[in-house]
Amino acid sequence: MTDANPTISRLTKRSEFLACAKAPSHAKGAVVVQARPRGDDDPRVRVGFTATKRIGGAVERNRAKRRMREAARLMLPLHGAPGVDYVIIARGGAISRPWDRLLDDVKTALIRLAPDRAAHHL
């Protein structure tokens, strides 16, 4: 990662996930992305991942989360906003979705949720 890209860290506490659950979200294809601007001076992008039991058993949920982590690793440096917490939720089809379409789902959701989008759109 270059200096122009934000530092990315993980959400670990349940309270952080719950705070993101109340924030704006965008569903696209096999993912739902929730984005919560923190409003602090910390420029880091923080991200968490979740997959419900509707995805399948533990093996399927873990596979879905691995795919989400890799998609986030590739897309957040390009499209994540500094000072924002993201939660990426796997939806049905997250395991079987073609990789390029999964990347596009994450990218589109991140762009839609960009904090400055509201000022430039509509």
Side-chain angles (χ1 to χ4, degrees):
M1 237 185 302
T2 65
D3 290 301
N5 291 330
T7 302
I8 298 171
S9 62
R10 293 286 296 274
L11 295 177
T12 56
K13 297 179 183 151
R14 185 171 190 269
S15 61
E16 296 167 339
F17 282 83
L18 292 175
C20 280
K22 296 175 185 170
S25 65
H26 184 74
K28 173 71 172 145
V31 299
V32 175
V33 177
Q34 301 168 333
R36 183 183 75 90
R38 288 191 307 276
D40 57 16
D41 292 331
D42 188 350
R44 288 181 303 160
V45 171
R46 299 190 315 172
V47 62
F49 305 91
T50 188
T52 66
K53 288 189 178 182
R54 284 196 285 174
I55 298 294
V59 172
E60 290 85 5
R61 289 195 309 272
N62 287 337
R63 180 156 188 240
K65 286 191 281 188
R66 280 195 305 272
R67 294 188 89 208
M68 299 298 121
R69 281 193 296 269
E70 182 60 15
R73 187 185 72 77
L74 296 171
M75 292 293 125
L76 278 173
L78 302 172
H79 303 288
V84 176
D85 288 349
Y86 294 97
V87 172
I88 301 177
I89 304 167
R91 296 174 77 189
I95 297 169
S96 59
R97 191 132 172 109
W99 181 242
D100 58 337
R101 296 206 38 213
L102 184 66
L103 287 176
D104 186 59
D105 292 346
V106 173
K107 174 183 173 181
T108 301
L110 289 172
I111 291 170
R112 281 289 186 99
L113 291 168
D116 61 347
R117 183 177 167 80
H120 300 306
H121 191 66
L122 297 174

